[in-house]
Amino acid sequence: QAQLVESGGGLVQAGGSRRLSCAASVRTFSTYAISWFRQAPGKEREFVAAISWSGASTNYADSVKGRFAISRDNAKMTVYLQMNRLKPEDTAVYYCAATLTINRDTVYTSPGRFDIWGQGTQVTVSS
């Protein structure tokens, strides 16, 4: 059964850094495009960052561009989200999601595209 498990969340001060991990238990992990989403209380789930299964393509929401970096290690079946210069408005539950694709360099930003989701990890940024 395909599964994603996020870790690395916690409490961090504004301006600090945090690295989230998304460990996958799926067959042929290297053919899954992975994205990160987040959801703050009272708000809709929003796209944060995406990476193709080749790792060659990435995409970021404007709100995190230049501060966050997504990467993947297919040998470890893990995707990372390095978050730097965190702001209170980054506070949310962060989810990783996976979608199987034949397109090695395509990234996906719409939640509806994804059929495998993790349980989420809370990130709280204090001011």
Side-chain angles (χ1 to χ4, degrees):
Q1 183 176 354
Q3 188 176 16
L4 300 175
V5 179
E6 302 97 335
S7 61
L11 177 64
V12 60
Q13 288 189 332
S17 297
R18 202 82 181 180
R19 189 176 81 159
L20 304 183
S21 298
C22 171
S25 298
V26 297
R27 301 174 79 177
T28 64
F29 172 77
S30 60
T31 57
Y32 281 81
I34 307 289
S35 292
W36 286 94
F37 296 84
R38 67 186 181 186
Q39 188 166 19
K43 295 187 176 181
E44 293 187 354
R45 190 168 299 189
E46 65 174 357
F47 167 75
V48 176
I51 190 165
S52 62
W53 66 252
S54 69
S57 299
T58 58
N59 194 10
Y60 298 92
D62 288 342
S63 59
V64 306
K65 201 170 293 183
R67 299 189 297 122
F68 290 13
I70 189 171
S71 61
R72 66 188 295 158
D73 184 335
N74 286 343
K76 296 182 178 180
M77 297 176 65
T78 301
V79 172
Y80 303 99
L81 184 67
Q82 178 66 42
M83 306 185 296
N84 299 322
R85 304 200 310 274
L86 283 160
K87 304 175 182 180
E89 51 263 44
D90 294 319
T91 295
V93 177
Y94 283 72
Y95 300 89
C96 62
T99 182
L100 187 64
T101 176
I102 62 172
N103 301 309
R104 59 177 285 122
D105 294 327
T106 302
V107 296
Y108 303 93
T109 63
S110 172
R113 167 73 195 200
F114 296 87
D115 50 6
I116 306 172
W117 290 82
Q119 84 289 348
T121 186
Q122 175 72 46
V123 174
T124 302
V125 184
S126 63
S127 57

